[in-house]
Amino acid sequence: MESCPLDIAYGEDVFNEKAMREYLAKDTVETLLHTMNDRAPLDPSIANEVAHALKQWAMQRGATHFTHWFQPLTGTTAEKHDAFFEPVGTAETIARFSGKNLIMGEPDASSFPSGGLRCTFEARGYTAWDVTSPAFVKRHPNGATLCIPTVFCSYTGEVLDKKTPLLRSMQAMDRAVRRLMACFGEPNSHAMITLGAEQEYFLVDKELYLKRPDLMQCGRTLFGAPPARNQQLEDHYFGSIKPRVLTFMEEVEQELWRLGIPAKTRHNEAAPAQFELAPMFEELNLAVDHNMMVMETLRNVADRHGLVCLLHEKPFAGVNGSGKHNNWSVAYNGKNLLDPGKNPQDNAIFLSVLASVIRAIDLHADVLRASTAHFGNDHRLGALEAPPAIISIFLGDELTEVIRRIEQGAAASDDNDKGGKLRVGVDTLPPIPRDTSDRNRTSPFAFTGNKFEFRAPGSSQNCSGVCMALNTIVAESITVLAEEIEQLPKATFHEGLEAILQRVIREHGRVIFNGDGYSAAWVEEAQKRGLPNLRTVPEALAVLLDEKNLDLFSKQGVLHPTEMRSRYDVFFAEYARKVRLEGKVALEMARTILEPAIMKELGALAKMVHHTQAAGIQAGLRTLTAKAETIGTGLDELAMGCTALETALGQDEKAILQAMTSLRNVADKLETMIGDCHWPLPKYRDLLQIH
Ligand code: ADP
Ligand code: MG
């Protein structure tokens, strides 16, 4: 074993197994590990001992406070710090942290969105320890805080957070996968869902950022003409990383490693000033928590380097936006079920899981799309740089050929080598390459050799919603398949299995698409195939209320219909608020920053016209007058655009967005005509450069 040459102990700020063994009695460690690894119920009798150990361990790292760390429906993380120390008399303190403090918290939670599940007058919300994600210490310049990952629910037990349904969906997958594995005579074990979340982000210089009220308030630019040089030279992607950025990245990685977050790769992304960080995959619940910490760390460290990290899906129009590729798979008994394997038994399991995924995506593409519904993502999906809003599956040539041969079934010749019928559970699959050569970047949901890569999620989204949806729909499909497979007679098991897979592929193969997802032809083709194309948040969210989907989530034990409805309300309200906020910011900027600048330019031009005329100079007079006319017309258009936006702010979201686009078009055109000395906002050409 070799350690990192830097002076960092990996995971030193996580209460991991090593720390547990150091601070807890052996029996307690075993009990705790049993809950963490085998999902056994928590034994409350160990809570006091664990709390005491956690306190000692955290205080050694400088912690003065503890907090329950949870993920409300805002999509971010929440924390309310409590000091360990309590005064005893007037001159002394005592450090206290009990099992009760560890297990349960009661934040005054009235301001978190609940979608009507909890009225403010009975605003009690509870946080409860999630033993499966280890506690960690967050360090800051003047101290440190012990963070305890928790779930968050209402007094009556309804979920108010993103973690609880994720955990429930993992249970649904576990039930389904166990059942399927039993059909194949596999030993009793449990399913582990894995996630590797590739995080894209932009960096901008903080000084410039502070001069852009749109970036500061909305996380994206509401105005800005594209610079002559953007990403057309394709020289940023994988280019050499500038020293300032590399120094920032190194600090981010070191912080993450200390927290036991396996940051693995870093590179320049396609757009200028865009970058990516990818961790090694981990167990899903942990990977989701870790991604939340990755986002926070990126932001915090950027600030120390005079930079701002933008996690918005589309900070700059006209250049690529940022996504978060969710690499998802499921393992059972330590084996990745989306790895085709080398023998017919493993192949048969792989094909059954694959068929379940195909069925799930075809039947519930709407649910998966809804999970990516996020205002920022509307600017990205379908913008010819990210997958379209149509959910389809890319399988690659080799696997598509395998599927075709199963689908053809008895109609094909029995000659396996010539690409004829493939006998499931008897023949061995041809090797499915894992290389990147045939990667189709235009697909929202791509098979990449041993996992699926869901590329539609937005860069700022909490992965839990997306993975919760994926788990739920796949669990339903695996259960349906398992129910059928259970009925097969032993003697004709493989023939029966083949027939089931054949039917599933025939019924649901329409969702497989290996072509160019960016092309207009695909939009038409997808419509013919009957695949939904839900372009905007309101369209996508609406499907959550369909009876079929309420039923699906309820049957899988993930979200009760009232919980689902409350989520719809929360997400829709968030969307509406964001649109309105952007509209207001755009209006204010146009009126108080852009208009005065344009007036100044017009005034200067008018003065020049006047002076030129007074001096009896003919040369240039026509140009000056024409320019003044153009700018003057632009000013009129801008003023009209503002009035239109003001009116739209009293109407619905669609009207606001339309009015914002019209206003932006006028402003961006003016930006290209006004003298640099008068343009009041940092331009894209500067924002997209890091020196
Ligand atoms: P790329 O997509 O850039 O070619 P990789 O295929 O190596 O890179 O991996 C991308 C991400 O997928 C990484 O975060 C990696 O850890 C993750 N990954 C690899 N195997 C699995 C798996 N079985 N389950 C979930 N994620 C995985
Ligand atoms: Mg990728």
Side-chain angles (χ1 to χ4, degrees), residues 34-111:
H34 185 46
T35 300
M36 290 177 84
N37 300 333
D38 309 327
R39 319 254 151 192
L42 175 72
D43 175 356
S45 69
I46 64 168
N48 274 332
E49 189 190 337
V50 176
H52 181 73
L54 264 173
K55 185 186 69 183
Q56 298 300 111
W57 171 83
M59 279 170 54
Q60 278 208 331
R61 280 157 181 74
T64 51
H65 290 66
F66 72 93
T67 180
H68 279 195
W69 184 80
F70 58 104
Q71 299 171 27
L73 293 177
T74 53
T76 54
T77 55
E79 40 192 76
K80 180 195 159 211
H81 298 196
D82 259 298
F84 285 130
F85 301 94
E86 285 173 20
V88 184
T90 52
E92 271 182 291
T93 61
I94 181 171
R96 264 191 229 277
F97 182 57
S98 68
K100 198 166 152 275
N101 296 145
L102 169 64
I103 288 186
M104 190 96 152
E106 194 187 328
D108 172 20
S110 51
S111 301

Coordinates of all heavy atoms in Angstrom, one line a residue, residues 34-111:
H34 N -22.8 -3.5 11.4 CA -23.9 -4.4 10.9 C -25.0 -3.5 10.4 O -25.6 -3.8 9.3 CB -24.3 -5.2 12.1 CG -25.4 -6.2 11.8 ND1 -25.3 -7.0 10.7 CD2 -26.6 -6.5 12.4 CE1 -26.4 -7.8 10.6 NE2 -27.2 -7.5 11.6
T35 N -25.3 -2.4 11.1 CA -26.3 -1.4 10.6 C -25.9 -0.8 9.3 O -26.6 -0.6 8.4 CB -26.6 -0.4 11.7 OG1 -27.1 -1.1 12.8 CG2 -27.7 0.6 11.2
M36 N -24.6 -0.3 9.3 CA -24.1 0.4 8.1 C -24.1 -0.5 6.9 O -24.5 -0.1 5.8 CB -22.7 1.0 8.4 CG -22.7 2.1 9.4 SD -21.0 2.6 9.7 CE -20.8 3.8 8.4
N37 N -23.5 -1.7 7.0 CA -23.3 -2.5 5.8 C -24.5 -3.4 5.5 O -24.7 -3.6 4.3 CB -22.0 -3.4 6.0 CG -20.8 -2.5 6.3 OD1 -20.8 -1.3 5.8 ND2 -19.8 -3.0 7.0
D38 N -25.1 -3.9 6.5 CA -26.2 -4.9 6.2 C -27.6 -4.2 6.4 O -28.6 -4.9 6.3 CB -26.1 -6.1 7.1 CG -24.7 -6.7 7.1 OD1 -24.1 -6.6 6.0 OD2 -24.2 -7.2 8.1
R39 N -27.6 -2.9 6.6 CA -28.9 -2.2 6.8 C -29.7 -2.8 7.9 O -31.0 -2.8 7.8 CB -29.7 -2.2 5.5 CG -28.8 -1.9 4.3 CD -29.0 -0.5 3.7 NE -27.7 -0.2 3.0 CZ -27.4 1.0 2.6 NH1 -28.2 2.0 2.9 NH2 -26.3 1.3 2.0
A40 N -29.1 -3.3 8.9 CA -29.9 -3.8 10.1 C -30.4 -2.6 10.9 O -29.8 -1.6 10.8 CB -29.0 -4.7 11.0
P41 N -31.6 -2.8 11.5 CA -32.1 -1.6 12.3 C -31.0 -1.2 13.4 O -30.3 -2.1 13.9 CB -33.3 -2.2 13.0 CG -33.6 -3.5 12.3 CD -32.4 -4.0 11.6
L42 N -31.0 0.1 13.7 CA -30.0 0.6 14.6 C -30.4 0.2 16.0 O -31.6 0.2 16.4 CB -30.0 2.1 14.5 CG -29.1 2.8 15.6 CD1 -27.7 2.6 15.3 CD2 -29.4 4.3 15.6
D43 N -29.4 -0.3 16.8 CA -29.6 -0.7 18.2 C -29.5 0.6 19.0 O -28.4 1.1 19.2 CB -28.6 -1.7 18.5 CG -28.6 -2.1 20.0 OD1 -29.4 -1.5 20.7 OD2 -27.8 -3.0 20.4
P44 N -30.6 1.1 19.6 CA -30.5 2.4 20.2 C -29.6 2.4 21.5 O -29.2 3.4 21.9 CB -32.0 2.7 20.6 CG -32.8 1.5 20.3 CD -31.9 0.5 19.6
S45 N -29.4 1.2 22.0 CA -28.6 1.1 23.3 C -27.1 1.6 23.1 O -26.4 1.8 24.0 CB -28.7 -0.3 23.9 OG -27.9 -1.2 23.0
I46 N -26.7 1.6 21.8 CA -25.3 2.0 21.6 C -25.1 3.5 21.4 O -24.0 4.0 21.3 CB -24.6 1.3 20.4 CG1 -25.3 1.6 19.1 CG2 -24.6 -0.2 20.7 CD1 -24.5 1.1 17.9
A47 N -26.3 4.2 21.3 CA -26.3 5.6 20.9 C -25.4 6.5 21.8 O -24.6 7.3 21.3 CB -27.7 6.2 20.8
N48 N -25.5 6.3 23.1 CA -24.8 7.1 24.0 C -23.3 7.0 23.8 O -22.5 7.9 23.8 CB -25.2 6.9 25.5 CG -26.4 7.7 25.8 OD1 -26.6 8.8 25.3 ND2 -27.2 7.2 26.8
E49 N -22.9 5.7 23.7 CA -21.4 5.4 23.5 C -20.9 6.0 22.2 O -19.8 6.6 22.2 CB -21.2 3.9 23.6 CG -19.7 3.6 23.7 CD -19.4 2.1 23.5 OE1 -20.4 1.3 23.7 OE2 -18.3 1.8 23.1
V50 N -21.7 5.8 21.2 CA -21.2 6.4 19.9 C -21.2 7.9 19.9 O -20.2 8.5 19.4 CB -22.2 5.9 18.7 CG1 -21.8 6.5 17.4 CG2 -22.2 4.4 18.6
A51 N -22.2 8.5 20.6 CA -22.2 10.0 20.7 C -20.9 10.4 21.4 O -20.3 11.4 21.0 CB -23.4 10.4 21.4
H52 N -20.6 9.8 22.5 CA -19.4 10.2 23.3 C -18.2 10.1 22.4 O -17.3 11.0 22.4 CB -19.3 9.3 24.5 CG -18.2 9.7 25.4 ND1 -18.2 10.8 26.2 CD2 -17.0 9.0 25.6 CE1 -17.0 10.9 26.8 NE2 -16.3 9.8 26.4
A53 N -18.0 8.9 21.7 CA -16.9 8.7 20.9 C -16.8 9.8 19.8 O -15.7 10.3 19.5 CB -16.9 7.3 20.3
L54 N -17.9 10.0 19.2 CA -17.9 11.0 18.1 C -17.5 12.4 18.6 O -16.7 13.1 17.9 CB -19.4 11.2 17.6 CG -19.7 10.4 16.3 CD1 -21.2 10.5 16.0 CD2 -19.0 10.8 15.1
K55 N -18.0 12.7 19.8 CA -17.6 14.0 20.4 C -16.1 14.1 20.6 O -15.4 15.1 20.2 CB -18.4 14.2 21.7 CG -18.1 15.6 22.3 CD -18.8 15.7 23.7 CE -18.0 14.8 24.7 NZ -18.6 14.8 26.0
Q56 N -15.5 13.0 21.2 CA -14.1 13.0 21.5 C -13.3 13.2 20.1 O -12.4 14.0 20.0 CB -13.7 11.7 22.1 CG -14.3 11.5 23.5 CD -13.9 12.6 24.5 OE1 -14.8 13.4 24.8 NE2 -12.7 12.7 24.9
W57 N -13.7 12.4 19.2 CA -13.0 12.3 17.9 C -13.1 13.7 17.2 O -12.1 14.2 16.7 CB -13.7 11.2 17.1 CG -13.3 11.2 15.6 CD1 -12.2 10.5 15.1 CD2 -14.0 11.7 14.5 NE1 -12.1 10.7 13.8 CE2 -13.2 11.4 13.4 CE3 -15.1 12.5 14.3 CZ2 -13.6 11.9 12.1 CZ3 -15.5 12.9 13.1 CH2 -14.7 12.6 12.0
A58 N -14.3 14.3 17.2 CA -14.5 15.6 16.5 C -13.8 16.7 17.2 O -13.2 17.5 16.6 CB -16.0 15.9 16.4
M59 N -13.8 16.7 18.6 CA -13.1 17.7 19.3 C -11.6 17.7 19.1 O -10.9 18.7 19.0 CB -13.5 17.7 20.8 CG -14.8 18.3 21.0 SD -15.5 18.1 22.7 CE -14.2 18.7 23.8
Q60 N -11.1 16.5 18.9 CA -9.7 16.4 18.5 C -9.3 17.0 17.2 O -8.2 17.4 16.9 CB -9.3 14.9 18.5 CG -9.0 14.3 19.8 CD -8.0 13.2 19.8 OE1 -7.9 12.5 18.7 NE2 -7.3 13.0 20.8
R61 N -10.3 17.2 16.4 CA -10.2 17.8 15.1 C -10.6 19.3 15.2 O -10.8 19.9 14.1 CB -11.0 17.1 14.0 CG -10.2 15.9 13.6 CD -11.1 14.8 12.9 NE -10.3 13.7 12.6 CZ -9.7 12.8 13.4 NH1 -10.0 12.9 14.7 NH2 -9.0 11.9 13.0
G62 N -10.8 19.8 16.4 CA -11.1 21.2 16.5 C -12.5 21.6 16.5 O -12.9 22.7 16.5
A63 N -13.4 20.5 16.5 CA -14.8 20.8 16.4 C -15.4 21.4 17.7 O -15.1 20.9 18.8 CB -15.6 19.6 16.1
T64 N -16.1 22.5 17.6 CA -16.7 23.1 18.8 C -18.3 22.9 18.7 O -18.9 23.1 19.7 CB -16.5 24.6 18.8 OG1 -16.9 25.1 17.5 CG2 -15.0 25.0 19.1
H65 N -18.8 22.6 17.6 CA -20.2 22.4 17.3 C -20.5 21.1 16.6 O -19.7 20.5 16.0 CB -20.7 23.6 16.5 CG -20.7 24.9 17.1 ND1 -19.5 25.6 17.5 CD2 -21.7 25.7 17.5 CE1 -19.8 26.7 18.0 NE2 -21.1 26.9 18.1
F66 N -21.8 20.7 16.7 CA -22.3 19.6 15.9 C -23.5 20.1 15.2 O -24.2 21.1 15.6 CB -22.6 18.4 16.8 CG -23.8 18.5 17.6 CD1 -25.0 18.1 17.2 CD2 -23.7 19.1 18.9 CE1 -26.2 18.2 18.0 CE2 -24.9 19.2 19.7 CZ -26.1 18.8 19.2
T67 N -23.8 19.4 14.1 CA -25.1 19.7 13.4 C -25.6 18.5 12.7 O -24.9 17.6 12.3 CB -24.8 20.8 12.3 OG1 -26.1 21.1 11.6 CG2 -23.9 20.4 11.2
H68 N -26.9 18.4 12.7 CA -27.6 17.4 11.8 C -27.5 18.0 10.4 O -27.9 19.2 10.2 CB -29.0 17.2 12.3 CG -29.0 16.2 13.4 ND1 -30.2 15.6 13.8 CD2 -28.1 15.7 14.2 CE1 -29.9 14.8 14.8 NE2 -28.6 14.9 15.1
W69 N -27.1 17.2 9.5 CA -26.8 17.7 8.1 C -27.8 17.0 7.2 O -27.9 15.8 7.2 CB -25.4 17.3 7.8 CG -24.8 17.7 6.5 CD1 -24.3 19.0 6.2 CD2 -24.6 16.9 5.3 NE1 -23.8 19.0 4.9 CE2 -24.0 17.7 4.3 CE3 -24.9 15.6 5.0 CZ2 -23.7 17.3 3.0 CZ3 -24.6 15.1 3.7 CH2 -24.0 16.0 2.7
F70 N -28.7 17.8 6.6 CA -29.8 17.2 5.9 C -30.1 17.9 4.5 O -29.5 18.9 4.2 CB -31.1 17.1 6.7 CG -31.6 18.4 7.3 CD1 -32.7 19.0 6.7 CD2 -31.0 19.0 8.4 CE1 -33.2 20.2 7.2 CE2 -31.5 20.2 8.9 CZ -32.6 20.8 8.3
Q71 N -30.9 17.3 3.8 CA -31.2 17.7 2.4 C -32.6 18.1 2.1 O -33.4 17.2 1.6 CB -30.6 16.7 1.4 CG -29.1 16.5 1.6 CD -28.6 15.3 0.8 OE1 -29.1 14.9 -0.2 NE2 -27.5 14.7 1.3
P72 N -33.1 19.3 2.5 CA -34.5 19.6 2.3 C -34.8 19.7 0.8 O -33.9 19.6 0.0 CB -34.6 21.0 3.0 CG -33.2 21.5 3.0 CD -32.3 20.4 3.0
L73 N -36.0 20.0 0.5 CA -36.5 20.0 -0.9 C -35.9 21.2 -1.7 O -36.2 21.3 -2.9 CB -38.0 20.0 -1.0 CG -38.6 18.6 -0.5 CD1 -40.1 18.7 -0.5 CD2 -38.1 17.5 -1.3
T74 N -35.2 22.1 -1.0 CA -34.6 23.2 -1.8 C -33.5 22.7 -2.7 O -33.1 23.3 -3.6 CB -33.9 24.2 -0.8 OG1 -33.0 23.4 0.0 CG2 -34.9 24.9 0.0
G75 N -33.1 21.4 -2.5 CA -32.0 20.8 -3.3 C -30.6 21.1 -2.8 O -29.6 20.5 -3.3
T76 N -30.5 21.9 -1.7 CA -29.2 22.1 -1.2 C -29.1 21.3 0.1 O -29.9 20.5 0.4 CB -29.0 23.6 -0.9 OG1 -30.0 24.0 0.0 CG2 -28.9 24.4 -2.1
T77 N -28.0 21.6 0.9 CA -27.9 21.0 2.2 C -28.3 22.0 3.3 O -28.2 23.2 3.1 CB -26.5 20.4 2.5 OG1 -25.6 21.5 2.3 CG2 -26.2 19.3 1.5
A78 N -28.7 21.5 4.4 CA -29.1 22.4 5.5 C -28.4 22.0 6.8 O -28.1 20.8 7.0 CB -30.6 22.4 5.7
E79 N -28.1 23.0 7.6 CA -27.4 22.6 8.9 C -27.8 23.7 9.9 O -27.9 24.9 9.6 CB -25.9 22.5 8.7 CG -25.3 23.6 7.8 CD -23.8 23.3 7.4 OE1 -23.6 22.4 6.5 OE2 -23.0 23.9 7.9
K80 N -27.9 23.3 11.2 CA -28.1 24.2 12.3 C -27.2 23.8 13.4 O -27.3 22.7 13.9 CB -29.6 24.2 12.8 CG -29.8 25.1 13.9 CD -31.1 24.8 14.6 CE -31.1 25.4 16.0 NZ -31.9 24.6 16.9
H81 N -26.2 24.6 13.6 CA -25.1 24.2 14.5 C -25.5 24.4 16.0 O -26.2 25.4 16.4 CB -23.9 25.1 14.3 CG -23.4 24.9 12.9 ND1 -22.1 25.3 12.5 CD2 -23.9 24.4 11.8 CE1 -21.9 25.0 11.2 NE2 -23.0 24.5 10.8
D82 N -25.1 23.4 16.8 CA -25.2 23.5 18.3 C -23.9 23.4 18.9 O -23.1 22.5 18.5 CB -26.1 22.3 18.7 CG -27.5 22.7 19.0 OD1 -27.7 23.5 19.9 OD2 -28.4 22.1 18.3
A83 N -23.5 24.2 19.9 CA -22.2 24.1 20.5 C -22.2 22.9 21.4 O -23.2 22.5 22.0 CB -21.9 25.3 21.3
F84 N -21.1 22.2 21.5 CA -20.9 21.1 22.4 C -20.9 21.6 23.8 O -21.3 21.0 24.8 CB -19.6 20.4 22.2 CG -19.5 19.5 21.0 CD1 -18.4 19.6 20.1 CD2 -20.5 18.5 20.8 CE1 -18.4 18.8 19.0 CE2 -20.4 17.7 19.7 CZ -19.3 17.8 18.8
F85 N -20.5 22.9 23.9 CA -20.2 23.4 25.3 C -21.4 24.1 25.9 O -22.1 24.8 25.3 CB -19.0 24.4 25.2 CG -17.8 23.8 24.6 CD1 -17.5 23.8 23.2 CD2 -16.9 23.1 25.4 CE1 -16.4 23.2 22.7 CE2 -15.8 22.4 24.9 CZ -15.6 22.5 23.5
E86 N -21.5 23.8 27.2 CA -22.6 24.5 28.0 C -21.9 25.0 29.2 O -21.0 24.4 29.8 CB -23.6 23.4 28.4 CG -24.6 23.0 27.3 CD -25.5 21.9 27.8 OE1 -25.6 21.7 29.0 OE2 -26.0 21.2 26.9
P87 N -22.3 26.3 29.6 CA -21.7 26.8 30.8 C -22.1 26.1 32.1 O -23.2 25.6 32.2 CB -22.2 28.3 30.8 CG -23.4 28.3 29.9 CD -23.3 27.1 29.0
V88 N -21.1 25.9 33.0 CA -21.4 25.4 34.3 C -21.0 26.5 35.3 O -19.8 26.8 35.3 CB -20.6 24.1 34.6 CG1 -21.0 23.5 35.9 CG2 -20.7 23.1 33.5
G89 N -21.9 27.1 35.9 CA -21.6 28.3 36.8 C -21.2 29.4 35.8 O -21.7 29.5 34.7
T90 N -20.3 30.3 36.3 CA -20.0 31.4 35.5 C -18.6 31.4 34.8 O -18.3 32.2 34.0 CB -20.0 32.7 36.3 OG1 -19.2 32.5 37.5 CG2 -21.5 33.1 36.7
A91 N -17.8 30.4 35.3 CA -16.4 30.4 34.8 C -16.0 29.1 34.1 O -14.8 28.9 33.8 CB -15.5 30.8 35.9
E92 N -16.9 28.2 33.9 CA -16.5 26.9 33.4 C -17.5 26.4 32.4 O -18.7 26.8 32.4 CB -16.4 25.9 34.5 CG -15.1 25.8 35.2 CD -15.0 24.8 36.2 OE1 -15.7 25.0 37.3 OE2 -14.4 23.7 36.0
T93 N -17.1 25.6 31.4 CA -18.0 24.9 30.5 C -17.8 23.4 30.6 O -16.8 22.9 31.0 CB -17.8 25.4 29.1 OG1 -16.5 25.0 28.7 CG2 -18.0 26.9 28.9
I94 N -18.8 22.8 30.1 CA -18.7 21.3 30.0 C -19.2 20.9 28.5 O -20.1 21.6 28.0 CB -19.6 20.6 31.0 CG1 -19.4 19.1 30.9 CG2 -21.0 21.0 30.9 CD1 -20.1 18.4 32.1
A95 N -18.5 20.0 28.0 CA -18.8 19.5 26.6 C -19.9 18.4 26.7 O -19.6 17.4 27.3 CB -17.6 19.1 25.8
R96 N -21.0 18.6 26.1 CA -22.1 17.6 26.1 C -22.5 17.2 24.7 O -22.7 18.0 23.9 CB -23.3 18.2 26.8 CG -23.4 18.0 28.2 CD -24.8 18.4 28.7 NE -24.8 19.3 29.8 CZ -24.7 18.8 31.1 NH1 -24.7 17.5 31.3 NH2 -24.7 19.6 32.1
F97 N -22.7 15.9 24.5 CA -23.3 15.4 23.3 C -23.8 14.0 23.6 O -23.0 13.1 23.8 CB -22.2 15.4 22.2 CG -22.8 15.0 20.8 CD1 -23.8 15.6 20.2 CD2 -22.2 13.9 20.2 CE1 -24.3 15.2 19.0 CE2 -22.7 13.5 18.9 CZ -23.8 14.1 18.4
S98 N -25.1 13.9 23.6 CA -25.7 12.6 24.1 C -26.2 11.8 22.9 O -26.3 12.3 21.8 CB -26.9 12.9 25.0 OG -27.9 13.5 24.2
G99 N -26.5 10.6 23.2 CA -27.1 9.7 22.2 C -28.4 10.3 21.6 O -28.7 10.2 20.4
K100 N -29.1 11.0 22.4 CA -30.4 11.6 22.0 C -30.0 12.7 20.9 O -30.7 12.8 19.9 CB -31.1 12.3 23.2 CG -32.5 12.6 22.9 CD -33.2 12.8 24.2 CE -34.4 13.8 24.0 NZ -34.1 15.2 24.0
N101 N -29.0 13.5 21.2 CA -28.6 14.6 20.3 C -28.2 13.9 18.9 O -28.3 14.5 17.9 CB -27.3 15.3 20.8 CG -27.6 16.1 22.0 OD1 -26.7 16.2 22.9 ND2 -28.8 16.6 22.2
L102 N -27.6 12.8 19.0 CA -27.1 12.1 17.8 C -28.2 11.6 17.0 O -28.3 11.8 15.8 CB -26.1 10.9 18.2 CG -25.7 10.0 17.1 CD1 -24.9 10.7 16.1 CD2 -24.9 8.8 17.7
I103 N -29.1 10.9 17.6 CA -30.2 10.2 16.9 C -31.2 11.1 16.3 O -31.7 10.9 15.2 CB -30.8 9.2 17.8 CG1 -29.8 8.0 18.1 CG2 -32.1 8.6 17.2 CD1 -30.4 6.9 18.8
M104 N -31.6 12.1 17.1 CA -32.8 12.9 16.7 C -32.5 14.4 16.8 O -31.9 14.8 17.8 CB -33.9 12.5 17.6 CG -35.2 13.0 17.2 SD -36.0 11.7 16.3 CE -37.7 12.1 16.7
G105 N -33.0 15.2 15.9 CA -33.0 16.6 16.1 C -34.3 17.2 15.8 O -35.1 16.6 15.1
E106 N -34.6 18.4 16.2 CA -35.8 19.1 15.9 C -35.6 20.5 15.5 O -35.8 21.4 16.3 CB -36.7 19.0 17.2 CG -38.2 19.3 16.9 CD -39.0 19.4 18.1 OE1 -38.7 18.7 19.1 OE2 -40.0 20.2 18.1
P107 N -35.1 20.7 14.3 CA -34.8 22.1 13.8 C -36.2 22.8 13.7 O -37.2 22.2 13.4 CB -34.2 21.9 12.5 CG -34.6 20.5 12.0 CD -34.9 19.7 13.2
D108 N -36.1 24.1 14.0 CA -37.4 24.9 13.7 C -37.4 25.0 12.2 O -36.7 25.8 11.6 CB -37.3 26.3 14.4 CG -38.4 27.1 14.0 OD1 -39.4 26.5 13.5 OD2 -38.3 28.3 14.1
A109 N -38.3 24.2 11.6 CA -38.2 24.0 10.2 C -39.2 24.6 9.4 O -39.5 24.3 8.3 CB -38.2 22.5 10.0
S110 N -39.9 25.7 10.0 CA -41.1 26.2 9.3 C -40.8 26.8 8.0 O -41.7 27.0 7.2 CB -41.7 27.2 10.3 OG -40.7 28.1 10.7
S111 N -39.5 27.2 7.7 CA -39.3 27.9 6.5 C -38.8 27.0 5.4 O -38.5 27.4 4.3 CB -38.2 29.0 6.7 OG -38.6 29.9 7.6

